[in-house]
Amino acid sequence: MTAGDTHQAIEAIFRIERARLIAGLARVVRDVDRAEELAQDALVIALSEWPRTGAPANPGAWLMTTAKRRAIDAIRRDRMRERKHEEIARELDGGLDGAAEVIDAAMDDDLGDELLGLIFTACHPVLSADARAALTLRVIGGLTTDEIARAFLSSEATIAQRIVRAKKTIGKAALSFETPRGGERAARLASVLEVVYLIFNEGYAATAGDDPIRPGLCLEAQRLGRILAGLTPEDAEVFGLLALMEIQASRLSARIGPDGALVPLSEQTRARWDQLLIRRGLDALARAEALGGDGPYALQAALAACHARAPSWADTDWPRIAALYDRLRAVTPSPVVDLNRAIAHSMAFGPEAGLRLVDEIADAAALRNYAPLPAARGDFLFRAGRRAEARREFEAAAKLTRNAREAAFLLARAGACD
Amino acid sequence: MRVMVLVKATEDSETGAMDPAWTAEMMAAMGRFNDELRNAGILLMADGLTPSAQGKRIAFDGPGRTVIDGPFAETRELVAGFWLWDVKDMDEAVAWVKRCPNPMPGPSEIEIRPLN
Protein backbone atom coordinates (compact mmCIF):
# COMPACT_ATOMS: atom_id res chain seq x y z
CA MET A 1 0.00 0.00 0.00
CA THR A 2 1.56 3.30 -1.09
CA ALA A 3 1.41 6.48 0.98
CA GLY A 4 -1.08 7.88 -1.54
CA ASP A 5 -3.45 4.94 -1.10
CA THR A 6 -3.31 5.30 2.65
CA HIS A 7 -4.13 9.00 2.47
CA GLN A 8 -7.12 8.25 0.28
CA ALA A 9 -8.34 5.61 2.73
CA ILE A 10 -7.85 7.96 5.70
CA GLU A 11 -9.79 10.70 3.94
CA ALA A 12 -12.60 8.24 3.22
CA ILE A 13 -12.75 7.38 6.92
CA PHE A 14 -12.76 11.08 7.76
CA ARG A 15 -15.65 11.75 5.37
CA ILE A 16 -17.71 9.11 7.17
CA GLU A 17 -16.98 10.73 10.57
CA ARG A 18 -16.99 14.38 9.53
CA ALA A 19 -20.58 15.45 10.22
CA ARG A 20 -20.70 13.91 13.71
CA LEU A 21 -17.27 15.31 14.46
CA ILE A 22 -18.34 18.83 13.53
CA ALA A 23 -21.57 18.36 15.46
CA GLY A 24 -19.77 17.38 18.66
CA LEU A 25 -17.26 20.20 18.34
CA ALA A 26 -19.87 22.80 17.43
CA ARG A 27 -21.87 21.91 20.51
CA VAL A 28 -18.86 22.83 22.61
CA VAL A 29 -17.19 25.74 20.78
CA ARG A 30 -20.56 27.04 19.54
CA ASP A 31 -19.13 28.07 16.19
CA VAL A 32 -19.57 26.09 12.97
CA ASP A 33 -16.53 27.56 11.29
CA ARG A 34 -14.25 26.83 14.26
CA ALA A 35 -15.70 23.32 14.49
CA GLU A 36 -14.91 22.68 10.82
CA GLU A 37 -11.38 24.00 11.29
CA LEU A 38 -10.78 21.78 14.30
CA ALA A 39 -12.14 18.77 12.42
CA GLN A 40 -9.83 19.54 9.52
CA ASP A 41 -6.87 19.89 11.93
CA ALA A 42 -7.66 16.43 13.29
CA LEU A 43 -7.64 15.03 9.76
CA VAL A 44 -4.22 16.53 9.10
CA ILE A 45 -2.87 14.89 12.25
CA ALA A 46 -4.50 11.58 11.27
CA LEU A 47 -2.89 11.79 7.84
CA SER A 48 0.50 12.16 9.44
CA GLU A 49 0.12 9.56 12.21
CA TRP A 50 -2.14 6.76 10.97
CA PRO A 51 0.14 5.61 8.13
CA ARG A 52 2.65 4.76 10.89
CA THR A 53 0.35 3.52 13.65
CA GLY A 54 -2.51 2.18 11.51
CA ALA A 55 -6.03 3.53 11.71
CA PRO A 56 -7.45 3.30 15.25
CA ALA A 57 -10.25 0.85 16.06
CA ASN A 58 -12.62 3.71 16.77
CA PRO A 59 -11.58 6.46 14.35
CA GLY A 60 -14.47 8.73 15.38
CA ALA A 61 -13.39 8.78 19.01
CA TRP A 62 -9.76 9.35 18.05
CA LEU A 63 -10.65 12.29 15.81
CA MET A 64 -12.94 13.82 18.44
CA THR A 65 -10.35 13.55 21.20
CA THR A 66 -7.65 14.98 18.97
CA ALA A 67 -9.84 17.89 17.85
CA LYS A 68 -10.94 18.71 21.38
CA ARG A 69 -7.33 18.70 22.59
CA ARG A 70 -6.45 21.20 19.90
CA ALA A 71 -9.42 23.32 20.92
CA ILE A 72 -8.14 23.43 24.49
CA ASP A 73 -4.61 24.25 23.38
CA ALA A 74 -5.87 27.07 21.18
CA ILE A 75 -8.03 28.50 23.92
CA ARG A 76 -5.18 28.40 26.38
CA ARG A 77 -2.95 30.19 23.90
CA ASP A 78 -5.59 32.78 23.29
CA ARG A 79 -4.55 35.99 24.97
CA MET A 80 -8.06 37.41 25.03
CA ARG A 81 -9.41 35.51 28.00
CA GLU A 82 -13.09 36.27 27.61
CA ARG A 83 -15.27 34.60 30.17
CA LYS A 84 -16.94 32.50 27.46
CA HIS A 85 -13.60 30.98 26.52
CA GLU A 86 -12.81 30.13 30.10
CA GLU A 87 -16.17 28.42 30.51
CA ILE A 88 -15.64 26.40 27.39
CA ALA A 89 -12.11 25.44 28.43
CA ARG A 90 -13.45 24.19 31.77
CA GLU A 91 -16.15 22.14 30.01
CA LEU A 92 -13.61 20.63 27.64
CA ASP A 93 -11.11 19.91 30.41
CA GLY A 94 -13.77 18.17 32.43
CA GLY A 95 -14.82 16.13 29.42
CA LEU A 96 -11.29 14.94 28.73
CA ASP A 97 -10.54 13.79 32.28
CA GLY A 98 -10.01 10.08 32.00
CA ALA A 99 -9.36 7.83 29.07
CA ALA A 100 -10.81 7.69 25.59
CA GLU A 101 -13.28 5.04 26.89
CA VAL A 102 -15.11 7.75 28.76
CA ILE A 103 -15.46 9.67 25.53
CA ASP A 104 -16.60 6.51 23.70
CA ALA A 105 -19.44 5.96 26.16
CA ALA A 106 -20.51 9.59 26.10
CA MET A 107 -20.36 9.63 22.33
CA ASP A 108 -22.84 6.82 21.87
CA ASP A 109 -25.38 8.71 23.94
CA ASP A 110 -24.79 12.21 22.80
CA LEU A 111 -23.61 12.06 19.20
CA GLY A 112 -27.05 11.39 17.81
CA ASP A 113 -28.46 14.39 19.58
CA GLU A 114 -25.46 16.51 18.66
CA LEU A 115 -25.83 15.66 14.98
CA LEU A 116 -29.54 16.42 15.16
CA GLY A 117 -28.70 19.72 16.86
CA LEU A 118 -26.30 20.61 14.06
CA ILE A 119 -28.93 19.77 11.42
CA PHE A 120 -31.46 21.99 13.17
CA THR A 121 -28.90 24.79 13.40
CA ALA A 122 -27.83 24.57 9.76
CA CYS A 123 -31.52 24.71 8.81
CA HIS A 124 -32.44 27.55 11.16
CA PRO A 125 -35.13 29.83 9.71
CA VAL A 126 -32.98 32.88 10.44
CA LEU A 127 -31.16 31.82 7.23
CA SER A 128 -32.67 31.98 3.75
CA ALA A 129 -33.66 28.67 2.16
CA ASP A 130 -30.70 28.85 -0.22
CA ALA A 131 -28.30 29.51 2.64
CA ARG A 132 -29.74 26.65 4.66
CA ALA A 133 -29.40 24.29 1.70
CA ALA A 134 -25.79 25.24 0.99
CA LEU A 135 -24.76 25.06 4.65
CA THR A 136 -26.52 21.73 5.21
CA LEU A 137 -24.93 20.15 2.15
CA ARG A 138 -21.55 21.43 3.34
CA VAL A 139 -21.51 20.51 7.02
CA ILE A 140 -23.90 17.53 7.04
CA GLY A 141 -23.58 16.17 3.52
CA GLY A 142 -19.86 16.87 3.36
CA LEU A 143 -20.05 18.18 -0.20
CA THR A 144 -17.29 20.52 -1.32
CA THR A 145 -18.20 24.08 -2.26
CA ASP A 146 -17.50 23.15 -5.86
CA GLU A 147 -19.91 20.20 -5.72
CA ILE A 148 -22.61 22.39 -4.18
CA ALA A 149 -22.03 25.08 -6.82
CA ARG A 150 -22.45 22.55 -9.60
CA ALA A 151 -25.57 21.15 -7.93
CA PHE A 152 -27.26 24.55 -7.90
CA LEU A 153 -25.68 25.83 -11.11
CA SER A 154 -23.98 28.63 -9.25
CA SER A 155 -20.37 29.67 -9.04
CA GLU A 156 -18.03 28.32 -6.39
CA ALA A 157 -17.39 31.88 -5.23
CA THR A 158 -21.10 32.57 -4.76
CA ILE A 159 -21.62 29.40 -2.76
CA ALA A 160 -18.49 30.00 -0.67
CA GLN A 161 -19.74 33.50 0.15
CA ARG A 162 -23.21 32.19 0.92
CA ILE A 163 -21.78 29.69 3.39
CA VAL A 164 -19.48 32.25 5.03
CA ARG A 165 -22.41 34.63 5.51
CA ALA A 166 -24.61 31.83 6.81
CA LYS A 167 -22.03 30.94 9.46
CA LYS A 168 -21.73 34.61 10.44
CA THR A 169 -25.50 34.91 10.77
CA ILE A 170 -25.59 31.84 12.98
CA GLY A 171 -22.80 33.29 15.10
CA LYS A 172 -24.54 36.63 15.48
CA ALA A 173 -27.80 34.93 16.40
CA ALA A 174 -25.83 33.11 19.12
CA LEU A 175 -27.55 29.82 18.32
CA SER A 176 -26.90 27.14 20.88
CA PHE A 177 -26.71 24.09 18.55
CA GLU A 178 -29.13 22.35 20.90
CA THR A 179 -32.08 20.37 19.57
CA PRO A 180 -35.24 22.42 19.92
CA ARG A 181 -37.91 20.96 22.16
CA GLY A 182 -41.52 21.63 23.01
CA GLY A 183 -43.53 24.17 21.11
CA GLU A 184 -40.82 25.40 18.77
CA ARG A 185 -39.74 21.94 17.64
CA ALA A 186 -42.50 21.53 15.04
CA ALA A 187 -41.75 24.85 13.37
CA ARG A 188 -37.99 24.23 13.42
CA LEU A 189 -38.51 20.73 12.01
CA ALA A 190 -40.62 22.16 9.21
CA SER A 191 -37.66 24.38 8.34
CA VAL A 192 -35.35 21.34 8.18
CA LEU A 193 -37.75 19.34 6.01
CA GLU A 194 -38.19 22.31 3.70
CA VAL A 195 -34.43 22.39 3.09
CA VAL A 196 -34.16 18.65 2.47
CA TYR A 197 -37.08 18.69 0.02
CA LEU A 198 -35.66 21.77 -1.71
CA ILE A 199 -32.42 19.85 -2.32
CA PHE A 200 -34.40 16.83 -3.54
CA ASN A 201 -36.51 18.89 -5.93
CA GLU A 202 -33.49 20.55 -7.41
CA GLY A 203 -32.38 17.08 -8.43
CA TYR A 204 -35.84 15.77 -9.35
CA ALA A 205 -37.08 18.67 -11.45
CA ALA A 206 -34.05 20.82 -12.00
CA THR A 207 -35.08 24.40 -12.62
CA ALA A 208 -32.10 25.30 -14.76
CA GLY A 209 -29.32 23.78 -16.76
CA ASP A 210 -29.17 21.10 -19.42
CA ASP A 211 -30.12 18.11 -17.34
CA PRO A 212 -33.78 17.93 -16.31
CA ILE A 213 -32.80 15.62 -13.46
CA ARG A 214 -29.75 15.30 -11.26
CA PRO A 215 -30.03 11.94 -9.50
CA GLY A 216 -26.93 12.56 -7.35
CA LEU A 217 -28.64 15.48 -5.69
CA CYS A 218 -31.78 13.43 -5.07
CA LEU A 219 -29.59 10.84 -3.40
CA GLU A 220 -28.04 13.48 -1.11
CA ALA A 221 -31.51 14.48 -0.01
CA GLN A 222 -32.56 10.87 0.43
CA ARG A 223 -29.52 10.25 2.61
CA LEU A 224 -30.31 13.33 4.70
CA GLY A 225 -33.88 12.09 5.05
CA ARG A 226 -32.72 8.62 6.10
CA ILE A 227 -30.30 10.10 8.63
CA LEU A 228 -33.08 12.29 10.04
CA ALA A 229 -35.42 9.32 10.28
CA GLY A 230 -32.81 7.51 12.37
CA LEU A 231 -32.36 10.53 14.64
CA THR A 232 -36.04 11.44 15.10
CA PRO A 233 -38.00 8.18 15.13
CA GLU A 234 -41.09 9.84 16.62
CA ASP A 235 -41.67 12.53 13.99
CA ALA A 236 -44.35 11.54 11.48
CA GLU A 237 -43.53 14.22 8.92
CA VAL A 238 -39.87 13.12 8.78
CA PHE A 239 -41.06 9.69 7.65
CA GLY A 240 -43.62 11.34 5.39
CA LEU A 241 -40.92 13.31 3.59
CA LEU A 242 -38.62 10.29 3.42
CA ALA A 243 -41.44 8.20 1.93
CA LEU A 244 -42.19 10.91 -0.63
CA MET A 245 -38.56 11.18 -1.70
CA GLU A 246 -37.90 7.43 -1.91
CA ILE A 247 -41.04 6.89 -4.03
CA GLN A 248 -40.36 9.85 -6.30
CA ALA A 249 -36.74 8.77 -6.68
CA SER A 250 -37.98 5.33 -7.74
CA ARG A 251 -39.20 6.93 -10.95
CA LEU A 252 -36.00 8.74 -11.93
CA SER A 253 -34.97 6.26 -14.64
CA ALA A 254 -38.45 6.30 -16.17
CA ARG A 255 -38.69 10.06 -15.96
CA ILE A 256 -36.29 10.74 -18.80
CA GLY A 257 -37.13 9.70 -22.34
CA PRO A 258 -34.62 8.64 -24.99
CA ASP A 259 -34.57 12.24 -26.25
CA GLY A 260 -33.58 13.49 -22.80
CA ALA A 261 -36.94 15.19 -22.14
CA LEU A 262 -39.13 14.62 -19.10
CA VAL A 263 -41.76 11.90 -19.42
CA PRO A 264 -45.00 12.61 -17.53
CA LEU A 265 -46.21 10.10 -14.95
CA SER A 266 -49.12 9.05 -17.15
CA GLU A 267 -46.71 7.83 -19.83
CA GLN A 268 -43.79 6.38 -17.87
CA THR A 269 -42.70 2.80 -18.45
CA ARG A 270 -43.46 1.41 -15.01
CA ALA A 271 -41.16 -1.58 -15.47
CA ARG A 272 -38.35 0.94 -15.01
CA TRP A 273 -39.52 2.03 -11.59
CA ASP A 274 -37.09 0.98 -8.87
CA GLN A 275 -39.06 -1.48 -6.75
CA LEU A 276 -36.48 -1.42 -3.97
CA LEU A 277 -37.03 2.32 -3.48
CA ILE A 278 -40.79 1.88 -3.73
CA ARG A 279 -40.63 -0.76 -0.98
CA ARG A 280 -38.53 1.59 1.19
CA GLY A 281 -40.95 4.44 0.52
CA LEU A 282 -44.01 2.36 1.41
CA ASP A 283 -42.32 1.21 4.62
CA ALA A 284 -41.53 4.81 5.56
CA LEU A 285 -45.12 5.80 4.78
CA ALA A 286 -46.39 3.03 7.04
CA ARG A 287 -44.19 4.42 9.85
CA ALA A 288 -45.53 7.91 9.21
CA GLU A 289 -49.12 6.71 9.34
CA ALA A 290 -48.47 4.66 12.47
CA LEU A 291 -47.23 7.89 14.06
CA GLY A 292 -50.51 9.54 13.10
CA GLY A 293 -49.05 11.43 10.19
CA ASP A 294 -51.50 13.41 8.14
CA GLY A 295 -49.33 16.43 7.51
CA PRO A 296 -48.54 17.68 4.00
CA TYR A 297 -45.54 15.39 3.41
CA ALA A 298 -47.36 12.28 4.61
CA LEU A 299 -50.30 13.19 2.37
CA GLN A 300 -48.10 13.77 -0.66
CA ALA A 301 -46.34 10.50 0.09
CA ALA A 302 -49.70 8.71 0.25
CA LEU A 303 -50.50 10.15 -3.17
CA ALA A 304 -47.17 9.02 -4.55
CA ALA A 305 -47.77 5.58 -3.01
CA CYS A 306 -51.10 5.23 -4.85
CA HIS A 307 -49.24 5.67 -8.13
CA ALA A 308 -46.38 3.44 -7.00
CA ARG A 309 -48.79 0.57 -6.30
CA ALA A 310 -50.64 0.91 -9.60
CA PRO A 311 -49.63 -1.30 -12.55
CA SER A 312 -50.76 1.42 -14.95
CA TRP A 313 -52.24 4.92 -15.12
CA ALA A 314 -55.65 3.45 -15.90
CA ASP A 315 -55.50 0.91 -13.08
CA THR A 316 -54.72 3.51 -10.40
CA ASP A 317 -56.90 3.88 -7.29
CA TRP A 318 -58.30 7.21 -8.47
CA PRO A 319 -61.06 7.53 -5.83
CA ARG A 320 -58.38 7.26 -3.15
CA ILE A 321 -56.21 9.83 -4.92
CA ALA A 322 -59.22 12.14 -5.24
CA ALA A 323 -59.89 11.80 -1.50
CA LEU A 324 -56.22 12.49 -0.69
CA TYR A 325 -56.26 15.63 -2.80
CA ASP A 326 -59.41 16.73 -0.99
CA ARG A 327 -57.43 16.51 2.25
CA LEU A 328 -54.26 18.01 0.79
CA ARG A 329 -55.98 21.16 -0.42
CA ALA A 330 -57.17 21.76 3.13
CA VAL A 331 -53.63 21.44 4.46
CA THR A 332 -51.60 23.12 1.69
CA PRO A 333 -54.01 24.96 -0.58
CA SER A 334 -52.63 25.96 -3.96
CA PRO A 335 -54.01 26.28 -7.50
CA VAL A 336 -51.71 23.47 -8.68
CA VAL A 337 -53.05 21.17 -5.98
CA ASP A 338 -56.57 22.16 -7.08
CA LEU A 339 -55.73 21.30 -10.68
CA ASN A 340 -54.33 17.91 -9.75
CA ARG A 341 -57.45 17.37 -7.65
CA ALA A 342 -59.62 18.11 -10.67
CA ILE A 343 -57.67 15.58 -12.71
CA ALA A 344 -58.02 12.96 -9.98
CA HIS A 345 -61.77 13.58 -9.70
CA SER A 346 -62.16 13.29 -13.46
CA MET A 347 -60.36 9.92 -13.42
CA ALA A 348 -62.40 8.70 -10.45
CA PHE A 349 -65.84 10.12 -11.21
CA GLY A 350 -65.88 11.07 -14.88
CA PRO A 351 -64.93 14.04 -17.04
CA GLU A 352 -67.89 16.21 -15.95
CA ALA A 353 -66.64 16.08 -12.35
CA GLY A 354 -63.25 17.27 -13.58
CA LEU A 355 -64.80 20.08 -15.62
CA ARG A 356 -66.81 21.34 -12.65
CA LEU A 357 -63.67 21.53 -10.49
CA VAL A 358 -61.41 22.99 -13.15
CA ASP A 359 -63.93 25.74 -13.87
CA GLU A 360 -63.66 26.79 -10.22
CA ILE A 361 -59.98 27.59 -10.65
CA ALA A 362 -60.08 28.81 -14.25
CA ASP A 363 -59.27 32.39 -13.25
CA ALA A 364 -56.47 31.65 -10.78
CA ALA A 365 -53.64 34.08 -11.47
CA ALA A 366 -50.98 31.48 -10.74
CA LEU A 367 -52.35 29.24 -13.51
CA ARG A 368 -52.65 31.92 -16.15
CA ASN A 369 -49.79 30.71 -18.39
CA TYR A 370 -49.74 27.19 -17.03
CA ALA A 371 -50.06 24.71 -19.89
CA PRO A 372 -51.36 21.80 -17.77
CA LEU A 373 -54.56 23.74 -17.05
CA PRO A 374 -55.92 23.94 -20.61
CA ALA A 375 -54.35 20.53 -21.27
CA ALA A 376 -56.43 19.06 -18.45
CA ARG A 377 -59.59 20.83 -19.56
CA GLY A 378 -58.95 19.62 -23.09
CA ASP A 379 -58.70 16.05 -21.82
CA PHE A 380 -61.96 16.34 -19.85
CA LEU A 381 -63.80 17.85 -22.83
CA PHE A 382 -62.46 15.15 -25.16
CA ARG A 383 -63.65 12.40 -22.85
CA ALA A 384 -67.02 14.16 -22.50
CA GLY A 385 -67.44 14.05 -26.27
CA ARG A 386 -67.07 17.83 -26.74
CA ARG A 387 -64.39 17.51 -29.40
CA ALA A 388 -64.44 20.99 -30.92
CA GLU A 389 -63.97 22.66 -27.54
CA ALA A 390 -61.31 20.08 -26.64
CA ARG A 391 -59.36 20.93 -29.76
CA ARG A 392 -59.27 24.63 -28.86
CA GLU A 393 -57.98 23.82 -25.36
CA PHE A 394 -55.21 21.52 -26.63
CA GLU A 395 -54.09 24.16 -29.10
CA ALA A 396 -54.04 26.80 -26.38
CA ALA A 397 -52.00 24.48 -24.15
CA ALA A 398 -49.53 23.76 -26.97
CA LYS A 399 -48.95 27.51 -27.31
CA LEU A 400 -48.23 27.89 -23.59
CA THR A 401 -45.72 25.10 -23.14
CA ARG A 402 -42.03 25.79 -23.71
CA ASN A 403 -41.28 22.09 -24.04
CA ALA A 404 -41.18 21.11 -27.71
CA ARG A 405 -41.98 17.48 -27.03
CA GLU A 406 -44.98 18.39 -24.91
CA ALA A 407 -46.18 20.84 -27.58
CA ALA A 408 -46.04 18.13 -30.22
CA PHE A 409 -47.95 15.79 -27.95
CA LEU A 410 -50.67 18.40 -27.32
CA LEU A 411 -51.00 19.22 -31.02
CA ALA A 412 -51.38 15.52 -31.72
CA ARG A 413 -54.22 15.41 -29.21
CA ALA A 414 -55.76 18.42 -30.91
CA GLY A 415 -55.53 16.64 -34.24
CA ALA A 416 -57.26 13.58 -32.78
CA CYS A 417 -60.29 15.69 -32.02
CA ASP A 418 -61.48 15.67 -35.64
CA MET B 1 -23.52 4.67 -6.64
CA ARG B 2 -24.85 1.38 -5.42
CA VAL B 3 -22.62 -1.47 -4.34
CA MET B 4 -23.37 -5.04 -3.48
CA VAL B 5 -21.24 -6.15 -0.55
CA LEU B 6 -20.81 -9.92 -0.41
CA VAL B 7 -19.79 -11.97 2.58
CA LYS B 8 -17.91 -14.93 1.12
CA ALA B 9 -18.56 -18.33 2.56
CA THR B 10 -16.17 -20.38 4.64
CA GLU B 11 -16.26 -24.01 5.73
CA ASP B 12 -17.76 -22.81 8.99
CA SER B 13 -20.67 -21.03 7.31
CA GLU B 14 -21.22 -23.95 4.96
CA THR B 15 -21.43 -26.52 7.76
CA GLY B 16 -23.34 -24.11 9.94
CA ALA B 17 -21.61 -25.54 12.99
CA MET B 18 -20.44 -22.45 14.79
CA ASP B 19 -19.97 -21.90 18.50
CA PRO B 20 -23.24 -20.38 19.78
CA ALA B 21 -21.42 -17.99 22.09
CA TRP B 22 -19.33 -16.66 19.22
CA THR B 23 -22.44 -16.43 17.04
CA ALA B 24 -24.35 -14.44 19.65
CA GLU B 25 -21.48 -11.98 20.05
CA MET B 26 -21.02 -11.61 16.31
CA MET B 27 -24.75 -11.04 15.74
CA ALA B 28 -24.77 -8.33 18.39
CA ALA B 29 -21.76 -6.62 16.84
CA MET B 30 -23.24 -7.01 13.36
CA GLY B 31 -26.50 -5.54 14.60
CA ARG B 32 -24.63 -2.47 15.84
CA PHE B 33 -22.79 -2.23 12.51
CA ASN B 34 -26.06 -2.39 10.57
CA ASP B 35 -27.45 0.33 12.85
CA GLU B 36 -24.46 2.53 11.93
CA LEU B 37 -25.07 1.89 8.22
CA ARG B 38 -28.75 2.69 8.65
CA ASN B 39 -28.03 5.84 10.63
CA ALA B 40 -25.61 6.98 7.95
CA GLY B 41 -28.43 6.68 5.43
CA ILE B 42 -26.64 4.19 3.18
CA LEU B 43 -28.18 0.81 3.98
CA LEU B 44 -30.61 -0.42 1.34
CA MET B 45 -30.72 -4.15 2.01
CA ALA B 46 -29.04 -6.71 4.23
CA ASP B 47 -29.55 -10.44 4.51
CA GLY B 48 -27.81 -13.75 5.08
CA LEU B 49 -27.98 -16.77 2.82
CA THR B 50 -28.52 -20.31 4.04
CA PRO B 51 -25.66 -22.76 3.42
CA SER B 52 -25.36 -23.92 -0.19
CA ALA B 53 -26.67 -27.37 0.82
CA GLN B 54 -30.09 -25.72 0.68
CA GLY B 55 -29.46 -24.14 -2.69
CA LYS B 56 -29.74 -25.25 -6.30
CA ARG B 57 -28.03 -24.32 -9.52
CA ILE B 58 -29.37 -24.44 -13.06
CA ALA B 59 -26.71 -24.97 -15.72
CA PHE B 60 -27.38 -23.35 -19.12
CA ASP B 61 -25.84 -24.91 -22.23
CA GLY B 62 -27.52 -24.11 -25.53
CA PRO B 63 -31.09 -25.21 -25.07
CA GLY B 64 -30.08 -27.43 -22.17
CA ARG B 65 -31.12 -26.70 -18.58
CA THR B 66 -29.68 -28.94 -15.87
CA VAL B 67 -30.62 -28.65 -12.21
CA ILE B 68 -27.77 -29.27 -9.77
CA ASP B 69 -28.39 -29.63 -6.06
CA GLY B 70 -26.12 -28.03 -3.48
CA PRO B 71 -23.86 -28.15 -1.59
CA PHE B 72 -21.33 -26.75 -4.00
CA ALA B 73 -17.65 -27.48 -3.75
CA GLU B 74 -15.82 -24.18 -4.25
CA THR B 75 -16.53 -22.85 -0.74
CA ARG B 76 -14.43 -19.68 -0.97
CA GLU B 77 -16.33 -18.49 -4.04
CA LEU B 78 -19.77 -18.97 -2.53
CA VAL B 79 -21.83 -16.13 -1.09
CA ALA B 80 -22.96 -16.37 2.53
CA GLY B 81 -24.55 -12.96 2.94
CA PHE B 82 -24.97 -9.63 1.23
CA TRP B 83 -25.69 -5.97 1.63
CA LEU B 84 -26.81 -3.33 -0.85
CA TRP B 85 -25.43 0.13 -0.02
CA ASP B 86 -25.88 3.64 -1.42
CA VAL B 87 -22.37 5.13 -1.29
CA LYS B 88 -20.56 8.04 -2.89
CA ASP B 89 -17.64 6.01 -4.20
CA MET B 90 -15.59 2.86 -3.69
CA ASP B 91 -13.41 4.57 -1.07
CA GLU B 92 -16.45 5.07 1.12
CA ALA B 93 -17.51 1.44 0.57
CA VAL B 94 -14.05 0.17 1.52
CA ALA B 95 -13.96 2.37 4.64
CA TRP B 96 -17.30 0.98 5.78
CA VAL B 97 -16.38 -2.65 5.08
CA LYS B 98 -13.24 -2.26 7.19
CA ARG B 99 -15.46 -1.29 10.14
CA CYS B 100 -17.52 -4.45 9.76
CA PRO B 101 -17.07 -7.06 12.48
CA ASN B 102 -15.57 -10.30 11.12
CA PRO B 103 -18.61 -12.28 9.99
CA MET B 104 -16.77 -15.59 10.42
CA PRO B 105 -14.93 -17.28 13.31
CA GLY B 106 -11.71 -17.45 11.30
CA PRO B 107 -10.22 -15.60 8.33
CA SER B 108 -12.85 -14.44 5.83
CA GLU B 109 -13.37 -12.14 2.88
CA ILE B 110 -15.94 -9.52 1.99
CA GLU B 111 -16.22 -8.53 -1.64
CA ILE B 112 -17.51 -5.17 -2.97
CA ARG B 113 -19.09 -5.01 -6.41
CA PRO B 114 -20.49 -1.79 -7.87
CA LEU B 115 -23.82 -2.14 -9.64
CA ASN B 116 -24.17 -1.22 -13.29
Side-chain angles (χ1 to χ4, degrees), chain A residues 45-63:
Chain A
I45 297 172
L47 285 169
S48 80
E49 289 189 15
W50 293 3
R52 273 184 297 111
T53 63
N58 189 333
W62 189 99
L63 290 165

Side-chain angles (χ1 to χ4, degrees), chain B residues 3 5-6 11 13 19 41 50 55 61 65 67 72 76 79 91-92 94 99 104 107 109:
Chain B
V3 292
V5 182
L6 304 164
E11 280 172 22
S13 68
D19 171 31
T50 57
D61 194 353
R65 305 283 181 266
V67 180
F72 307 116
R76 286 173 25 142
V79 177
D91 288 333
E92 184 184 359
V94 168
R99 294 159 82 114
M104 300 292 177
E109 281 190 337

Side-chain angles (χ1 to χ4, degrees), chain A residues 141-418:
Chain A
L143 270 64
T144 63
T145 353
D146 184 47
E147 286 169 335
I148 300 170
R150 275 185 282 120
F152 289 96
L153 295 166
S154 195
S155 74
E156 198 176 337
T158 304
I159 296 295
Q161 259 245 332
R162 186 171 296 165
I163 291 175
V164 163
R165 268 189 261 116
K167 289 176 185 172
K168 278 213 184 82
T169 306
I170 286 176
K172 268 198 245 130
L175 300 182
S176 69
F177 296 87
E178 300 287 327
T179 351
R181 306 200 193 282
E184 68 156 336
R185 187 189 174 86
R188 292 288 303 280
L189 187 61
S191 182
V192 172
L193 299 181
E194 184 190 17
V195 175
V196 176
Y197 198 42
L198 183 155
I199 294 169
F200 182 84
N201 265 313
E202 196 49 41
Y204 190 71
T207 51
D210 295 326
D211 301 315
I213 62 169
R214 285 199 280 278
L217 204 48
C218 289
L219 186 56
E220 284 303 328
Q222 287 166 265
R223 276 175 80 146
L224 286 168
R226 293 168 190 163
I227 291 170
L228 265 174
L231 293 171
T232 63
E234 302 305 316
D235 283 294
E237 275 289 81
V238 170
F239 287 97
L241 175 59
L242 179 58
L244 179 59
M245 291 192 296
E246 304 274 45
I247 294 174
Q248 287 188 316
S250 75
R251 302 188 202 132
L252 281 171
S253 308
R255 221 165 126 65
I256 297 295
D259 56 352
L262 282 176
V263 179
L265 182 56
S266 50
E267 292 167 61
Q268 287 175 15
T269 303
R270 299 195 174 201
R272 304 186 63 186
W273 287 358
D274 185 328
Q275 291 299 324
L276 175 61
L277 289 179
I278 288 176
R279 170 55 34 204
R280 293 178 60 83
L282 294 177
D283 286 347
L285 179 58
R287 290 282 294 270
E289 287 168 350
L291 290 165
D294 57 357
Y297 289 118
L299 281 174
Q300 289 176 79
L303 280 163
C306 285
H307 290 295
R309 292 188 196 103
S312 68
W313 180 257
D315 283 323
T316 305
D317 188 349
W318 290 110
R320 178 157 171 72
I321 291 190
L324 284 166
Y325 270 114
D326 290 345
R327 281 165 61 197
L328 187 61
R329 73 189 289 265
V331 170
T332 48
S334 91
V336 174
V337 169
D338 283 335
L339 178 58
N340 288 330
R341 174 175 174 250
I343 294 171
H345 275 256
S346 84
M347 296 299 289
F349 308 119
E352 286 80 7
L355 281 167
R356 271 195 304 275
L357 289 175
V358 86
D359 285 342
E360 283 171 20
I361 56 170
D363 296 325
L367 299 178
R368 188 160 298 142
N369 293 316
Y370 191 57
L373 173 58
R377 196 192 278 111
D379 181 64
F380 305 159
L381 289 164
F382 184 89
R383 285 155 53 202
R386 292 155 65 174
R387 302 275 177 116
E389 294 167 270
R391 186 198 183 111
R392 279 200 294 278
E393 293 293 336
F394 285 130
E395 286 169 350
K399 284 211 191 74
L400 286 176
T401 180
R402 273 171 287 168
N403 181 324
R405 192 198 146 280
E406 200 184 338
F409 174 74
L410 290 162
L411 287 173
R413 289 214 67 183
C417 292
D418 292 334

